[in-house]
Amino acid sequence: MVLSFGIAVLAAFAVHIEAAAQSPLPDTPQVEARVNALLSKLTLDEKIDLLSGVNKFYIRSMPSIGLPALRMSDGPMGVREWGHSTAYPGGSALAATWDPAFARQMGASIGRDARARGVSFLLAPGVNIYRAPVSGRSFEYLGEDPVLAAQIAVGFIDGVQEQGVIATVKHFAANNEEYNRVEVSSDLDQRTLHELYLPAFEAAVREAHVGAVMDGYNPVNGIHPTENAALNCAILEKQWGFRGIVMSDWGAVHHAVAAANSCLDLEMPSGEYLNRNNLLPAIRAGKVSVAIIDDKVRRILREAVEFGLFDRPQPAPNRNLDNETDRKVALQGALEGAVLLKNQDNLLPLEASKTKVLAVIGPNATPAVYAGGGSSNVTPYAAVSVLSGLTDYLAGKAEVEYDRGLPDLTALSKATEYTFDGKPGVQLQLFANANFQGTPFRTLMVPNIDPGSMAAILKQDGTLLAGIQAMRFTANYKPHSAGAYLFLTSGGGSQAYASGQDKYTLTVNGNRIVSQAPFEQQAPLATYRDLPAAEPLAIQFDYVPMSDRAYPRLAISATADLVSQRAREIAAKADAVVVAVGFDPSTEREGMDRSFNLPYGQEVLIRAIARINPKTIVVLNGGAGIDMHGWVTTVPAILDQWYPGQEGGRALAQLLFGEYDPEGKLPMTFDRTWDESPVRHSYYAKPRAIGKDAKEPTFTYNMAGAMLTGRMDRGVNYTEGLLNGYRYYAGSKEKPLFPFGFGLSYTAFAFGHLHVGSVNSNGLDISADITNTGKREGAEVLELYLGLPSRHVPMPERELKGFQKVRLAPGQIAHVTLHVDRRDLSYYNVPSQSWKLDTGEVRVYVGDSASDTSLTGSFKLQ
Ligand code: BGC
């Protein structure tokens, strides 16, 4: 049987979607008349009051016009703020489904959850384009390609808004890194901005009619988004015709008049700047016009009218807060989003009948790692871990043995043995200045360098005794044997990450080996050194707390000691081993960047277990690329689950045992090493020499293994331009570890019958067949790339222009037609600020990853 997919079929599909629950009203003259009538009843004071939030997550009520308080909530993975809620897969998992229809279903579920909690604004989706694996929030976003991100975002927003909830697309714009996120300016040329970093926002506005846009923290070309008229007024409102609300990220406003005149409508979470004290005098002085204030208020009222917020209570009745429908959607996302990266000799799927003992090892096996950290992190009613998913699945059929495999941070720092002056322990000196100058005002001994050792210098409430500006830990550490050693530093307390802006340096035998800059939040840093046996090392750990709390930590361990004995034993006796590793909310989160390498010890664990048991399957958590070059060849199977949401463990069992065929495809390129990444020279701000210390390294920052010294510049120059991700690799000799769009299946597919239609004023149709040539049902994605002519401007070798996922039984064929419109064939012409079509030959590539396109063709643009 031949299935047909394409524009006609997609249109029919739309009709079958469940009748919309509370679709917003269209933007009509009637709506505008009502908005104007409401506006006319407000005093200037009341209007100004509407321009800022209150109580963290509300627009305030305005009883004089019957406006209720409008509640907001994060975010992309579920409804965060108002109690427990279903936790759905993260953005990279959602994008890995390559399934906009599923995105719509997930959006609808979250929209219903929001209504059940009385939420009117959902602060999602996040659509910032992926540049580098180290960026801490990639897990919330939708990958590296604007076409994929746009289609997933549109699906999600449609789903949310059909439930009567306003979606908020964020963070406008070019918010592509987390370290020092409020300061670092994304400096990029207009063509790159328009072709890569804006299209997902544009589609949210033009196709999905999103109700709100959130301006990001980072300056763009030197100007904060909340006062960036070029972005908010010229592009968003004028070019794209956005009629909704431009809100600030939380605390992202820096100037009242500049923000007011740059099309920012709503300051969140409260009116630090957009308040009566600032705006009334500015209006009187003629710096801000009443017309501008009215426009902002109109936008807020317009969304409230269109979404029915004046006319019905927002909490939807008859909605169970925790229900089977949503759990199924979360499960479906975890199933569809998981990407099978490697499956040597078809080790997977495992056969339950042949698996008598399964070993489950690794820090990510339990508790469930369903999400990264920060404002997207939802508290679910229950989350299924890798361990419980597999144990439940195998109950009564096989034995499951578990071990964490690696010590946790606290165990590791407590177990590190130091001496000072021949006695066990560490000398701690306290300074009344932050530069370690002069004599310490107090010196004491502590057992080790761990938050638990701080008791003697804390007040009862857990804060530091007054006057402590800097702490110096001094000790000797004696390696018990020659070999590789881990030095693990962190500023975190019960959480692994540092929540303040603490800075620290670690010096070993007088050489500085780690320096942490005082950024907003910080991941633990793992540094490895080869040490000779039994040479005592002189350790100095200098820690400068930036608040009245401090959680300094240093752990040192031979890497040979990291993997537990029990993990080795259960691996040896098992029929197969699942090693569950990767990042978690403490190592990958909003507000900080993460390492490209797996967190400490995990590579050592993978290699050790794979040596013991050749049937080792690595299951990964993480929102982005992971440096695997040191271990990828040592294991036969790798499955990336991203952050799979609360049903991750259940999905994993179904995937590993072949009840569900893996179908996820990478939404970003996985670089082999940081040195090969196209943004290796342009991700970190350049070091900046400061004052007379110009030659002295002030801070180093080494998340990607790129040791940087010196205080950093304010701006990051996107020198790679359009050549981000696969756009770079397609024209380079370097090959990524795993290409964009890649993902294995248990079945097999073949592409054939490429047909390139003729070009007319609307563009053209391109079609091809996909056949399931394997023995199992499965889904495949047809990916269409075009190489546009480079007559006037250089073009990337290929760019994704469309895709379609199809689900096929063995032997079944799908005929897929994709429409390419004129905009898809154009480039952004900077002088004319418009899209232009170039003449010449267009190359056509069809396949199932950016570097595996078995069908090729071409056509001419005249
Ligand atoms: C984040 C936003 C989030 C907001 C409210 C900010 O720190 O950047 O994504 O929506 O907080 O929680």
Side-chain angles (χ1 to χ4, degrees), residues 534-558:
E535 287 282 340
L537 307 173
I539 305 286
Q540 184 175 308
F541 189 57
D542 283 355
Y543 196 94
V544 180
M546 293 292 179
S547 70
D548 58 3
R549 291 185 187 267
Y551 306 98
R553 189 193 301 276
L554 168 65
I556 310 176
S557 168

PDB file of all heavy atoms in Angstrom, residues 534-558:
ATOM      1  N   ALA A 534      53.050   8.731  45.229  1.00  0.00           N
ATOM      2  CA  ALA A 534      53.520   9.092  46.561  1.00  0.00           C
ATOM      3  C   ALA A 534      54.278  10.405  46.675  1.00  0.00           C
ATOM      4  O   ALA A 534      55.004  10.622  47.625  1.00  0.00           O
ATOM      5  CB  ALA A 534      54.374   7.952  47.117  1.00  0.00           C
ATOM      6  N   GLU A 535      54.166  11.293  45.691  1.00  0.00           N
ATOM      7  CA  GLU A 535      54.752  12.635  45.828  1.00  0.00           C
ATOM      8  C   GLU A 535      53.689  13.514  46.475  1.00  0.00           C
ATOM      9  O   GLU A 535      52.676  13.791  45.842  1.00  0.00           O
ATOM     10  CB  GLU A 535      55.068  13.213  44.440  1.00  0.00           C
ATOM     11  CG  GLU A 535      56.247  12.602  43.739  1.00  0.00           C
ATOM     12  CD  GLU A 535      57.557  13.131  44.283  1.00  0.00           C
ATOM     13  OE1 GLU A 535      57.536  14.215  44.910  1.00  0.00           O
ATOM     14  OE2 GLU A 535      58.575  12.447  44.120  1.00  0.00           O
ATOM     15  N   PRO A 536      53.877  13.983  47.678  1.00  0.00           N
ATOM     16  CA  PRO A 536      52.815  14.821  48.261  1.00  0.00           C
ATOM     17  C   PRO A 536      52.660  16.122  47.461  1.00  0.00           C
ATOM     18  O   PRO A 536      53.652  16.723  47.056  1.00  0.00           O
ATOM     19  CB  PRO A 536      53.304  15.106  49.682  1.00  0.00           C
ATOM     20  CG  PRO A 536      54.575  14.376  49.847  1.00  0.00           C
ATOM     21  CD  PRO A 536      55.023  13.817  48.550  1.00  0.00           C
ATOM     22  N   LEU A 537      51.435  16.502  47.231  1.00  0.00           N
ATOM     23  CA  LEU A 537      51.157  17.719  46.462  1.00  0.00           C
ATOM     24  C   LEU A 537      50.778  18.836  47.423  1.00  0.00           C
ATOM     25  O   LEU A 537      50.047  18.601  48.391  1.00  0.00           O
ATOM     26  CB  LEU A 537      49.968  17.507  45.518  1.00  0.00           C
ATOM     27  CG  LEU A 537      50.010  16.309  44.580  1.00  0.00           C
ATOM     28  CD1 LEU A 537      48.677  16.187  43.850  1.00  0.00           C
ATOM     29  CD2 LEU A 537      51.141  16.478  43.570  1.00  0.00           C
ATOM     30  N   ALA A 538      51.245  20.036  47.133  1.00  0.00           N
ATOM     31  CA  ALA A 538      50.831  21.200  47.934  1.00  0.00           C
ATOM     32  C   ALA A 538      49.571  21.780  47.301  1.00  0.00           C
ATOM     33  O   ALA A 538      49.579  22.213  46.148  1.00  0.00           O
ATOM     34  CB  ALA A 538      51.941  22.236  47.946  1.00  0.00           C
ATOM     35  N   ILE A 539      48.485  21.737  48.069  1.00  0.00           N
ATOM     36  CA  ILE A 539      47.179  22.177  47.550  1.00  0.00           C
ATOM     37  C   ILE A 539      46.822  23.515  48.173  1.00  0.00           C
ATOM     38  O   ILE A 539      46.909  23.689  49.391  1.00  0.00           O
ATOM     39  CB  ILE A 539      46.080  21.165  47.970  1.00  0.00           C
ATOM     40  CG1 ILE A 539      46.407  19.744  47.529  1.00  0.00           C
ATOM     41  CG2 ILE A 539      44.702  21.619  47.517  1.00  0.00           C
ATOM     42  CD1 ILE A 539      46.245  19.487  46.072  1.00  0.00           C
ATOM     43  N   GLN A 540      46.371  24.442  47.342  1.00  0.00           N
ATOM     44  CA  GLN A 540      45.811  25.687  47.875  1.00  0.00           C
ATOM     45  C   GLN A 540      44.511  25.980  47.122  1.00  0.00           C
ATOM     46  O   GLN A 540      44.490  26.042  45.895  1.00  0.00           O
ATOM     47  CB  GLN A 540      46.795  26.832  47.686  1.00  0.00           C
ATOM     48  CG  GLN A 540      46.292  28.121  48.309  1.00  0.00           C
ATOM     49  CD  GLN A 540      47.336  29.221  48.208  1.00  0.00           C
ATOM     50  OE1 GLN A 540      48.494  29.048  48.598  1.00  0.00           O
ATOM     51  NE2 GLN A 540      46.947  30.349  47.663  1.00  0.00           N
ATOM     52  N   PHE A 541      43.438  26.100  47.895  1.00  0.00           N
ATOM     53  CA  PHE A 541      42.121  26.344  47.293  1.00  0.00           C
ATOM     54  C   PHE A 541      41.630  27.676  47.840  1.00  0.00           C
ATOM     55  O   PHE A 541      41.328  27.799  49.030  1.00  0.00           O
ATOM     56  CB  PHE A 541      41.184  25.188  47.676  1.00  0.00           C
ATOM     57  CG  PHE A 541      39.862  25.199  46.961  1.00  0.00           C
ATOM     58  CD1 PHE A 541      39.794  25.176  45.577  1.00  0.00           C
ATOM     59  CD2 PHE A 541      38.670  25.203  47.680  1.00  0.00           C
ATOM     60  CE1 PHE A 541      38.572  25.160  44.907  1.00  0.00           C
ATOM     61  CE2 PHE A 541      37.441  25.188  47.027  1.00  0.00           C
ATOM     62  CZ  PHE A 541      37.394  25.169  45.641  1.00  0.00           C
ATOM     63  N   ASP A 542      41.613  28.677  46.994  1.00  0.00           N
ATOM     64  CA  ASP A 542      41.210  30.030  47.419  1.00  0.00           C
ATOM     65  C   ASP A 542      39.783  30.285  46.980  1.00  0.00           C
ATOM     66  O   ASP A 542      39.474  30.219  45.785  1.00  0.00           O
ATOM     67  CB  ASP A 542      42.126  31.080  46.772  1.00  0.00           C
ATOM     68  CG  ASP A 542      43.476  31.149  47.474  1.00  0.00           C
ATOM     69  OD1 ASP A 542      43.648  30.464  48.504  1.00  0.00           O
ATOM     70  OD2 ASP A 542      44.366  31.880  46.976  1.00  0.00           O
ATOM     71  N   TYR A 543      38.940  30.604  47.936  1.00  0.00           N
ATOM     72  CA  TYR A 543      37.506  30.698  47.663  1.00  0.00           C
ATOM     73  C   TYR A 543      36.986  32.063  48.109  1.00  0.00           C
ATOM     74  O   TYR A 543      37.176  32.477  49.253  1.00  0.00           O
ATOM     75  CB  TYR A 543      36.781  29.581  48.420  1.00  0.00           C
ATOM     76  CG  TYR A 543      35.380  29.343  47.930  1.00  0.00           C
ATOM     77  CD1 TYR A 543      35.121  28.370  46.972  1.00  0.00           C
ATOM     78  CD2 TYR A 543      34.317  30.088  48.424  1.00  0.00           C
ATOM     79  CE1 TYR A 543      33.831  28.147  46.508  1.00  0.00           C
ATOM     80  CE2 TYR A 543      33.028  29.869  47.959  1.00  0.00           C
ATOM     81  CZ  TYR A 543      32.792  28.897  46.996  1.00  0.00           C
ATOM     82  OH  TYR A 543      31.527  28.674  46.537  1.00  0.00           O
ATOM     83  N   VAL A 544      36.318  32.753  47.198  1.00  0.00           N
ATOM     84  CA  VAL A 544      35.767  34.076  47.529  1.00  0.00           C
ATOM     85  C   VAL A 544      34.243  34.018  47.403  1.00  0.00           C
ATOM     86  O   VAL A 544      33.712  33.978  46.294  1.00  0.00           O
ATOM     87  CB  VAL A 544      36.332  35.165  46.585  1.00  0.00           C
ATOM     88  CG1 VAL A 544      35.753  36.538  46.947  1.00  0.00           C
ATOM     89  CG2 VAL A 544      37.839  35.192  46.632  1.00  0.00           C
ATOM     90  N   PRO A 545      33.541  33.979  48.549  1.00  0.00           N
ATOM     91  CA  PRO A 545      32.074  33.935  48.460  1.00  0.00           C
ATOM     92  C   PRO A 545      31.532  35.314  48.089  1.00  0.00           C
ATOM     93  O   PRO A 545      32.083  36.325  48.502  1.00  0.00           O
ATOM     94  CB  PRO A 545      31.654  33.552  49.883  1.00  0.00           C
ATOM     95  CG  PRO A 545      32.786  33.981  50.748  1.00  0.00           C
ATOM     96  CD  PRO A 545      34.041  33.984  49.922  1.00  0.00           C
ATOM     97  N   MET A 546      30.499  35.331  47.292  1.00  0.00           N
ATOM     98  CA  MET A 546      29.915  36.613  46.883  1.00  0.00           C
ATOM     99  C   MET A 546      28.609  36.892  47.625  1.00  0.00           C
ATOM    100  O   MET A 546      27.906  37.835  47.305  1.00  0.00           O
ATOM    101  CB  MET A 546      29.662  36.615  45.374  1.00  0.00           C
ATOM    102  CG  MET A 546      30.929  36.574  44.566  1.00  0.00           C
ATOM    103  SD  MET A 546      31.870  38.105  44.732  1.00  0.00           S
ATOM    104  CE  MET A 546      33.287  37.774  43.726  1.00  0.00           C
ATOM    105  N   SER A 547      28.266  35.994  48.561  1.00  0.00           N
ATOM    106  CA  SER A 547      27.078  36.253  49.370  1.00  0.00           C
ATOM    107  C   SER A 547      27.399  35.748  50.779  1.00  0.00           C
ATOM    108  O   SER A 547      28.537  35.373  51.055  1.00  0.00           O
ATOM    109  CB  SER A 547      25.874  35.505  48.799  1.00  0.00           C
ATOM    110  OG  SER A 547      26.046  34.117  49.014  1.00  0.00           O
ATOM    111  N   ASP A 548      26.395  35.726  51.646  1.00  0.00           N
ATOM    112  CA  ASP A 548      26.704  35.276  53.009  1.00  0.00           C
ATOM    113  C   ASP A 548      26.564  33.756  53.156  1.00  0.00           C
ATOM    114  O   ASP A 548      26.483  33.220  54.248  1.00  0.00           O
ATOM    115  CB  ASP A 548      25.838  36.018  54.033  1.00  0.00           C
ATOM    116  CG  ASP A 548      24.360  35.820  53.777  1.00  0.00           C
ATOM    117  OD1 ASP A 548      24.015  35.056  52.839  1.00  0.00           O
ATOM    118  OD2 ASP A 548      23.547  36.437  54.490  1.00  0.00           O
ATOM    119  N   ARG A 549      26.520  33.063  52.017  1.00  0.00           N
ATOM    120  CA  ARG A 549      26.534  31.592  52.070  1.00  0.00           C
ATOM    121  C   ARG A 549      27.697  31.106  51.220  1.00  0.00           C
ATOM    122  O   ARG A 549      28.045  31.741  50.230  1.00  0.00           O
ATOM    123  CB  ARG A 549      25.241  31.006  51.520  1.00  0.00           C
ATOM    124  CG  ARG A 549      24.070  31.290  52.417  1.00  0.00           C
ATOM    125  CD  ARG A 549      22.797  30.614  51.956  1.00  0.00           C
ATOM    126  NE  ARG A 549      21.698  31.075  52.795  1.00  0.00           N
ATOM    127  CZ  ARG A 549      21.292  30.445  53.903  1.00  0.00           C
ATOM    128  NH1 ARG A 549      21.858  29.318  54.276  1.00  0.00           N
ATOM    129  NH2 ARG A 549      20.310  30.939  54.626  1.00  0.00           N
ATOM    130  N   ALA A 550      28.265  29.991  51.596  1.00  0.00           N
ATOM    131  CA  ALA A 550      29.375  29.461  50.798  1.00  0.00           C
ATOM    132  C   ALA A 550      29.415  27.949  50.913  1.00  0.00           C
ATOM    133  O   ALA A 550      29.152  27.389  51.979  1.00  0.00           O
ATOM    134  CB  ALA A 550      30.684  30.043  51.296  1.00  0.00           C
ATOM    135  N   TYR A 551      29.699  27.319  49.808  1.00  0.00           N
ATOM    136  CA  TYR A 551      29.718  25.856  49.777  1.00  0.00           C
ATOM    137  C   TYR A 551      30.964  25.353  49.043  1.00  0.00           C
ATOM    138  O   TYR A 551      30.865  24.653  48.034  1.00  0.00           O
ATOM    139  CB  TYR A 551      28.467  25.334  49.065  1.00  0.00           C
ATOM    140  CG  TYR A 551      27.176  25.855  49.635  1.00  0.00           C
ATOM    141  CD1 TYR A 551      26.526  26.936  49.042  1.00  0.00           C
ATOM    142  CD2 TYR A 551      26.620  25.283  50.778  1.00  0.00           C
ATOM    143  CE1 TYR A 551      25.337  27.428  49.564  1.00  0.00           C
ATOM    144  CE2 TYR A 551      25.430  25.777  51.299  1.00  0.00           C
ATOM    145  CZ  TYR A 551      24.800  26.846  50.684  1.00  0.00           C
ATOM    146  OH  TYR A 551      23.631  27.331  51.200  1.00  0.00           O
ATOM    147  N   PRO A 552      32.158  25.708  49.512  1.00  0.00           N
ATOM    148  CA  PRO A 552      33.358  25.301  48.781  1.00  0.00           C
ATOM    149  C   PRO A 552      33.556  23.797  48.816  1.00  0.00           C
ATOM    150  O   PRO A 552      33.236  23.143  49.819  1.00  0.00           O
ATOM    151  CB  PRO A 552      34.485  26.010  49.542  1.00  0.00           C
ATOM    152  CG  PRO A 552      33.939  26.258  50.889  1.00  0.00           C
ATOM    153  CD  PRO A 552      32.458  26.412  50.766  1.00  0.00           C
ATOM    154  N   ARG A 553      34.061  23.282  47.700  1.00  0.00           N
ATOM    155  CA  ARG A 553      34.284  21.827  47.681  1.00  0.00           C
ATOM    156  C   ARG A 553      35.461  21.502  46.765  1.00  0.00           C
ATOM    157  O   ARG A 553      35.580  22.032  45.663  1.00  0.00           O
ATOM    158  CB  ARG A 553      33.035  21.140  47.122  1.00  0.00           C
ATOM    159  CG  ARG A 553      33.051  19.626  47.260  1.00  0.00           C
ATOM    160  CD  ARG A 553      31.949  18.999  46.414  1.00  0.00           C
ATOM    161  NE  ARG A 553      30.609  19.433  46.737  1.00  0.00           N
ATOM    162  CZ  ARG A 553      29.864  18.909  47.716  1.00  0.00           C
ATOM    163  NH1 ARG A 553      30.342  17.946  48.473  1.00  0.00           N
ATOM    164  NH2 ARG A 553      28.639  19.339  47.912  1.00  0.00           N
ATOM    165  N   LEU A 554      36.338  20.635  47.292  1.00  0.00           N
ATOM    166  CA  LEU A 554      37.404  20.088  46.456  1.00  0.00           C
ATOM    167  C   LEU A 554      37.492  18.600  46.767  1.00  0.00           C
ATOM    168  O   LEU A 554      37.590  18.203  47.931  1.00  0.00           O
ATOM    169  CB  LEU A 554      38.749  20.754  46.767  1.00  0.00           C
ATOM    170  CG  LEU A 554      39.982  20.056  46.168  1.00  0.00           C
ATOM    171  CD1 LEU A 554      39.962  20.111  44.638  1.00  0.00           C
ATOM    172  CD2 LEU A 554      41.278  20.691  46.680  1.00  0.00           C
ATOM    173  N   ALA A 555      37.415  17.791  45.733  1.00  0.00           N
ATOM    174  CA  ALA A 555      37.600  16.342  45.909  1.00  0.00           C
ATOM    175  C   ALA A 555      38.726  15.914  44.983  1.00  0.00           C
ATOM    176  O   ALA A 555      38.830  16.396  43.856  1.00  0.00           O
ATOM    177  CB  ALA A 555      36.315  15.607  45.555  1.00  0.00           C
ATOM    178  N   ILE A 556      39.566  15.010  45.484  1.00  0.00           N
ATOM    179  CA  ILE A 556      40.635  14.471  44.642  1.00  0.00           C
ATOM    180  C   ILE A 556      40.536  12.951  44.727  1.00  0.00           C
ATOM    181  O   ILE A 556      40.347  12.387  45.807  1.00  0.00           O
ATOM    182  CB  ILE A 556      42.030  14.926  45.138  1.00  0.00           C
ATOM    183  CG1 ILE A 556      42.062  16.443  45.343  1.00  0.00           C
ATOM    184  CG2 ILE A 556      43.112  14.502  44.147  1.00  0.00           C
ATOM    185  CD1 ILE A 556      43.373  16.976  45.922  1.00  0.00           C
ATOM    186  N   SER A 557      40.639  12.305  43.582  1.00  0.00           N
ATOM    187  CA  SER A 557      40.558  10.839  43.602  1.00  0.00           C
ATOM    188  C   SER A 557      41.321  10.273  42.410  1.00  0.00           C
ATOM    189  O   SER A 557      41.291  10.847  41.317  1.00  0.00           O
ATOM    190  CB  SER A 557      39.089  10.404  43.514  1.00  0.00           C
ATOM    191  OG  SER A 557      39.007   9.016  43.264  1.00  0.00           O
ATOM    192  N   ALA A 558      41.978   9.140  42.636  1.00  0.00           N
ATOM    193  CA  ALA A 558      42.546   8.403  41.502  1.00  0.00           C
ATOM    194  C   ALA A 558      41.370   7.955  40.648  1.00  0.00           C
ATOM    195  O   ALA A 558      40.357   7.465  41.182  1.00  0.00           O
ATOM    196  CB  ALA A 558      43.324   7.198  42.000  1.00  0.00           C
TER     197      ALA A 558
END
